[in-house]
Amino acid sequence: MNEMRRWILLAFVPAIFVLFGCVNRRNTIVVGSKNFPEQAILGEILAQRIEAQTGLRVERRFYLSGTYICHQALLAGRIDMYVEYTGTALTAILKEMPNSDPHVVFNLVHDSYAHFGLIVEPPLGFNDSFAIVVREDDARRYGVHTISDAAEYTPLWRPGFGYEFQERPDGYDGLVKAYGLKFAAAPRIMDLGLLYRALLARQVDIVAGNATDGQLVTGAFTVLTDDKHYFPPYQAVPVVRSEVLQQHPEIANALVGLSGKISDKDMQEMNYEVIGEHKDTASVAREFLRALHLNNASALRGAVPSKTNRGRASGVGR
């Protein structure tokens, strides 16, 4: 009988968890993020902007895991918004084939997400696409600027990729076919946080990172131009539950004020401040908003402390 009760209790735990996350919190907005530093920075930017412009209480639920978990948390009402990338939404959630036109991708994601009861807000400005990266000294030595340029030399180079790049439809296989690439060895698969270390240590010679990686500001690396436009766009966009915007239309105005305000370079620098200089995520976001005159310190009172885990700052991804 005790065993039966235990299994009944376990069966109800997920439902209780979801219901707990959906309690009435009319004046509290919950901002989520995926489990890497860029996402926590973006979550802080959304949270601080909403606090400054609306006076609403904002709770942070950062480092939730990947795309699927964040999407399900939105649908369940456990979070009210987070920042997604259009190319990821297209392929991972909608299961559509990659497309290189950013307007087509945004419109398709925007319209499709409406069926989930979600609003896709205008892009924040940067495109966190895959980036094919080599050492800066090799780029100068061989005179390579594009991936097509590099194709002549890749038979001499050892590649290093993350597991996701190796497996996803817009990753390794398609890249090799699009550019006719051949390598000196099979790709070395490693944790994304180790790619740049391996490149500097000359354990690999070419890697697939992300366009906004903080390490790219150091001058030690060169991003090769995707001259055949193989990679789809990964524009960063806030995704918000439509119910929340109906209850608090002022949030939409706050988010629109961020549209187009974050460049690739801005995001690289903020990532480097958190990952390379170990600055506090909230402080980095606050300084960025202050520089753009998009923050109001007096409106930050009563904020719920961030649940970020700065010890995980070595992870990257989207």
Side-chain angles (χ1 to χ4, degrees):
M1 190 65 173
N2 288 338
E3 184 71 11
M4 178 65 73
R5 287 176 179 172
R6 185 172 73 86
W7 283 108
I8 290 174
L9 177 61
L10 288 175
F12 277 99
V13 166
I16 292 170
F17 182 71
V18 171
L19 287 173
F20 179 78
C22 298
V23 295
N24 189 354
R25 42 177 171 75
R26 278 191 166 281
N27 294 315
T28 299
I29 304 302
V30 181
V31 177
S33 88
K34 301 186 196 182
N35 57 347
F36 54 96
E38 176 171 295
Q39 279 277 301
I41 296 167
L42 294 171
E44 273 293 343
I45 287 174
L46 296 191
Q48 293 183 26
R49 173 69 174 170
I50 290 169
E51 289 167 338
Q53 296 299 306
T54 70
L56 291 167
R57 180 181 173 86
V58 178
E59 179 181 342
R60 280 84 160 157
R61 293 185 185 173
F62 296 167
Y63 290 97
L64 290 178
S65 190
T67 299
Y68 181 76
I69 296 299
C70 286
H71 184 70
Q72 291 302 313
L74 266 184
L75 297 181
R78 288 180 50 227
I79 63 175
D80 295 317
M81 68 182 71
Y82 79 104
V83 174
E84 187 53 273
Y85 307 94
T86 54
T88 302
L90 182 73
T91 57
I93 299 298
L94 301 179
K95 308 299 182 185
E96 297 283 350
M97 292 299 295
N99 188 298
S100 61
D101 188 320
H103 300 292
V104 170
V105 173
F106 175 81
N107 289 333
L108 180 55
V109 171
H110 179 277
D111 295 345
S112 298
Y113 267 47
H115 298 299
F116 295 125
L118 303 175
I119 303 299
V120 177
E121 294 289 337
L124 295 173
F126 69 92
N127 178 26
D128 193 10
S129 178
F130 282 117
I132 301 302
V133 182
V134 298
R135 289 181 292 271
E136 193 273 338
D137 59 351
D138 280 347
R140 283 189 289 105
R141 178 183 301 117
Y142 296 108
V144 296
H145 305 284
T146 68
I147 302 176
S148 291
D149 292 339
E152 179 180 350
Y153 303 100
T154 55
L156 306 174
W157 292 349
R158 298 154 299 170
F161 302 129
Y163 176 80
E164 184 180 12
F165 183 79
Q166 187 75 7
E167 296 296 321
R168 59 189 294 162
D170 54 347
Y172 174 76
D173 287 341
L175 177 72
V176 168
K177 291 176 183 177
Y179 284 96
L181 302 180
K182 298 182 185 300
F183 295 106
R188 181 173 177 178
I189 308 305
M190 65 185 75
D191 182 87
L192 290 172
L194 301 176
L195 285 175
Y196 292 101
R197 294 183 200 174
L199 196 54
L200 284 179
R202 299 187 179 274
Q203 296 169 351
V204 295
D205 304 298
I206 184 169
V207 302
N210 294 326
T212 58
D213 287 340
Q215 294 90 334
L216 297 178
V217 305
T218 64
F221 308 103
T222 293
V223 176
L224 301 177
T225 300
D226 178 17
D227 51 303
K228 293 188 177 181
H229 306 288
Y230 166 71
F231 294 121
Y234 287 91
Q235 294 178 300
V237 291
V239 181
V240 192
R241 294 196 302 123
S242 58
E243 177 184 356
V244 171
L245 293 183
Q246 290 169 3
Q247 294 173 352
H248 300 287
E250 66 271 28
I251 291 176
N253 293 330
L255 296 180
V256 166
L258 294 172
S259 177
K261 293 296 194 299
I262 307 176
S263 69
D264 289 12
K265 188 70 171 177
D266 290 333
M267 199 68 247
Q268 285 178 0
E269 291 175 349
M270 286 190 283
N271 281 332
Y272 184 74
E273 288 180 48
V274 171
I275 297 171
E277 299 178 347
H278 309 293
K279 292 184 179 180
D280 177 68
T281 302
S283 298
V284 169
R286 186 174 298 113
E287 286 305 312
F288 175 76
L289 290 169
R290 187 172 294 155
L292 292 179
H293 306 290
L294 291 174
N295 220 342
N296 178 359
S298 65
L300 296 176
R301 58 186 179 277
V304 177
S306 173
K307 296 183 179 179
T308 58
N309 178 358
R310 294 190 62 232
R312 302 173 69 173
S314 62
V316 293
R318 74 166 92 69

